[in-house]
């Protein structure tokens, strides 16, 4: 049987089958269609304005590495007029994050983007290694997720950026929809498919890969020979998410559109009036000034528990009001300089890159099976 022709250009030989659409395409058409779909997502959601300073949450993993590559490519191709930065968070995980940050430092040179690295140690006085020593491996990802979210906002404020983009892909979002349904977490269900969420002050967060399939991100990285880090975190990721992931992969194997279908379902959920009433108003943390629905933000509540050695209390206090005690040294959020007042030039950012280490979006286990690369 003669080799199949690409179903898009009808000229070149097809070398892969797109996981998202099952189309057989050539390499050039795959790159083009993948990039155009991300561009369409960006344009349709009106994500950026000309002149925006945008930080790319960079962990060195496949998603954020492909995101950095695509953001740079589209910014040049379509003249978005964005000032791009790499922003990494160093959780302090020896043998994992220190290695992945080396990848980010190489990406900084490869993509010629300034890099800012912020560590949990400098922000909170704790590394994940020490947290795991203290709380064990059961709830470590709860601490890590809460700290990372704040750390990204703080890093973005220090860079004076308007916007953070993260490499969350369609699989991540569909998993989150499933998890929120299974947990009955209505508040999160209502916002987990938003492509843009508002961070602290004017810092927006968005997900340009909202509709990009993980398998296609891996294919893109593979065929472009991008430099990324593929080892998993040494502290086991959220087991519950792992189950949602396996379930989603099973659904995808039967019907590839399942991922997009679940996202579309999530987008069309509407909150009923009485559920809305039960949701708490936002205020600011009495200790550090970060946005919070309680007197203490989640990070400060967790830090109080860590320093008091009461881990179960720390975990509970992320869900309810907490009394104040003296203690930890979290950097007050309100002490940061306002966005845009900081003129961090590329040289300064590049110099800061060599200083320490870091990472960005929540890590999820990456097991990509059944990639269809035609012979
Ligand atoms: Fe942090 Fe992710 Fe490791 Fe959990 S799996 S400790 S969230 S880096
Ligand atoms: Zn083609």
């Amino acid at each position: 049987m003669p080799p199949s022709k690409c179903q898009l250009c009808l000229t070149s030989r097809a070398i892969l089958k797109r996981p998202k659409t099952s189309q057989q395409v050539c390499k050039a058409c795959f790159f083009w269609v993948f990039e155009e779909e991300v561009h369409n997502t960006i344009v349709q959601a009106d994500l950026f304005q000309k002149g925006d300073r945008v930080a790319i949450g960079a962990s060195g993993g496949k998603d954020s590495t492909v995101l950095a590559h695509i953001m740079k490519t589209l910014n040049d191709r379509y003249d978005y007029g964005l000032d791009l930065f790499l922003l990494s968070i160093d959780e302090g995980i020896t043998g994992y994050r220190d290695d992945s940050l080396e990848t980010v430092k190489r990406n900084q040179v490869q993509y010629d983007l300034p890099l800012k690295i912020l560590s949990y140690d400098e922000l909170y006085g704790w590394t994940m290694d020490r947290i795991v020593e203290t709380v064990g491996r059961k709830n470590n990802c709860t601490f890590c997720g809460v700290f990372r979210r704040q750390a990204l906002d703080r890093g973005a404020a220090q860079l004076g950026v308007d916007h953070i983009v993260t490499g969350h892909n369609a699989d991540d979002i569909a998993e989150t929809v499933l998890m929120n349904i299974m947990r009955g977490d209505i508040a999160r269900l209502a916002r987990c498919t938003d492509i843009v969420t508002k961070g602290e002050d004017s810092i927006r967060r968005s997900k340009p890969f909202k509709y990009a399939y993980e398998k296609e991100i891996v294919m893109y990285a593979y065929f472009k020979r991008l430099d990324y880090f593929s080892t998993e975190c040494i502290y086991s990721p959220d087991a519950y998410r792992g189950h949602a992931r396996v379930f989603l992969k099973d659904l995808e194997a039967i019907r590839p559109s399942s991922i997009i279908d679940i996202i579309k379902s999530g987008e069309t959920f509407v909150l009923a009036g009485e559920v809305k009433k039960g949701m708490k108003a936002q205020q600011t943390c009495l200790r550090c000034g970060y946005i919070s629905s309680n007197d203490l933000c989640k990070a400060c509540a967790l830090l109080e528990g860590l320093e008091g050695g009461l881990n179960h209390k720390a975990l509970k206090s992320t869900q309810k009001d907490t009394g104040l005690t003296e203690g930890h040294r979290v950097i007050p959020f309100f002490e940061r300089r306002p966005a845009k007042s900081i003129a961090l030039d590329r040289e300064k950012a590049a110099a800061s890159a060599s200083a320490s280490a870091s990472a960005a979006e929540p890590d999820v286990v990456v097991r990509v099976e059944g990639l269809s690369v035609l012979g």
Side-chain angles (χ1 to χ4, degrees):
M1 217 172 66
S4 312
K5 291 275 188 229
C6 168
Q7 290 178 275
L8 293 175
C9 65
L10 310 176
T11 312
S12 304
R13 187 167 75 92
I15 60 144
L16 60 93
K17 188 167 144 192
R18 280 195 74 186
K20 190 172 180 177
T21 59
S22 301
Q23 280 175 315
Q24 298 196 357
V25 292
C26 69
K27 212 197 279 188
C29 285
F30 171 66
F31 291 152
W32 180 259
V33 78
F34 183 86
E35 290 159 3
E36 286 305 289
E37 285 178 5
V38 177
H39 173 61
N40 289 341
T41 303
I42 288 171
V43 171
Q44 277 167 17
D46 205 11
L47 291 189
F48 309 116
Q49 304 297 317
K50 241 189 170 76
D52 276 356
R53 290 163 66 87
V54 178
I56 302 162
S59 66
K62 65 176 190 337
D63 298 304
S64 63
T65 302
V66 173
L67 182 63
H69 178 88
I70 296 258
M71 286 297 297
K72 177 135 178 105
T73 302
L74 296 179
N75 195 32
D76 293 344
R77 183 184 298 160
Y78 293 107
D79 194 21
Y80 289 168
L82 305 178
D83 236 344
L84 297 174
F85 301 83
L86 296 174
L87 172 59
S88 292
I89 307 302
D90 180 5
E91 298 94 340
I93 302 174
T94 311
Y96 168 63
R97 191 54 80 206
D98 41 2
D99 291 341
S100 70
L101 284 171
E102 292 307 311
T103 311
V104 180
K105 289 176 191 167
R106 290 197 300 278
N107 291 160
Q108 174 197 12
V109 176
Q110 289 153 356
Y111 303 140
D112 188 26
L113 296 175
L115 167 66
K116 166 93 185 157
I117 300 178
L118 262 184
S119 72
Y120 285 3
D121 198 15
E122 67 189 280
L123 285 175
Y124 309 113
W126 286 80
T127 62
M128 276 310 295
D129 287 339
R130 263 189 71 217
I131 291 173
V132 170
E133 268 174 36
T134 310
V135 307
R137 290 192 175 210
K138 197 151 179 282
N139 295 311
N140 51 292
C141 293
T142 302
F143 286 83
C144 197
V146 169
F147 288 170
R148 184 188 294 109
R149 181 160 187 91
Q150 282 205 14
L152 274 175
D153 275 349
R154 290 166 191 273
Q158 287 180 19
L159 280 170
V161 302
D162 313 280
H163 199 132
I164 304 170
V165 289
T166 59
H168 292 97
N169 59 44
D171 300 51
D172 299 331
I173 295 167
E175 275 163 33
T176 307
V177 171
L178 291 175
M179 283 167 64
N180 288 332
I181 290 172
M182 292 188 285
R183 286 172 170 154
D185 192 335
I186 302 304
R188 285 202 175 87
L189 181 57
R191 57 176 192 258
C192 71
T193 54
D194 291 348
I195 189 164
V196 181
T197 51
K198 201 86 153 52
E200 185 58 17
D201 288 351
S202 60
I203 302 169
R204 281 152 57 92
R205 277 168 189 256
S206 67
K207 305 176 182 106
F209 282 172
K210 179 179 174 186
Y211 300 113
Y213 275 35
E214 178 177 86
K215 285 179 179 175
E216 299 207 347
I217 292 172
V218 175
M219 279 183 164
Y220 189 92
Y222 173 79
F223 285 115
K224 284 270 180 190
R225 298 181 190 279
L226 300 185
D227 181 6
Y228 68 96
F229 184 79
S230 53
T231 305
E232 288 167 19
C233 177
I234 55 170
Y235 303 129
S236 26
D238 185 344
Y240 198 65
R241 179 174 285 275
H243 290 302
R245 165 157 291 241
V246 170
F247 178 52
L248 186 70
K249 291 288 174 213
D250 287 346
L251 291 177
E252 186 193 8
I254 300 165
R255 199 173 61 151
S257 70
S258 298
I259 293 173
I260 292 290
D261 294 341
I262 291 168
I263 295 174
K264 294 283 178 204
S265 300
E267 287 171 342
T268 50
F269 286 132
V270 178
L271 273 195
E274 52 287 14
V275 177
K276 266 186 185 159
K277 269 188 235 151
M279 291 165 68
K280 285 190 159 186
Q282 296 286 291
Q283 58 186 66
T284 48
C285 172
L286 295 179
R287 182 172 292 276
C288 75
Y290 189 81
I291 197 157
S292 171
S293 34
N294 298 310
D295 287 349
L296 285 188
C297 71
K298 287 180 179 177
C300 285
L302 286 169
L303 285 166
E304 284 227 339
L306 275 175
E307 291 175 5
L310 296 171
N311 310 318
H312 60 284
K313 181 187 157 202
L315 284 166
K316 277 191 194 149
S317 66
T318 63
Q319 290 148 6
K320 61 172 190 168
D321 287 344
T322 323
L324 283 172
T325 60
E326 293 305 315
H328 62 77
R329 62 166 183 89
V330 66
I331 298 169
F333 198 72
F334 46 74
E335 275 182 20
R336 75 187 190 286
R337 287 168 290 168
K340 296 219 172 180
S341 72
I342 306 165
L344 185 104
D345 59 29
R346 286 178 181 240
E347 290 71 37
K348 195 172 164 199
S352 74
S354 55
S356 57
S358 134
E361 74 269 12
D363 290 353
V364 283
V365 186
V366 179
R367 278 190 205 93
V368 179
E369 286 145 12
L371 282 187
S372 305
V373 179
L374 308 176

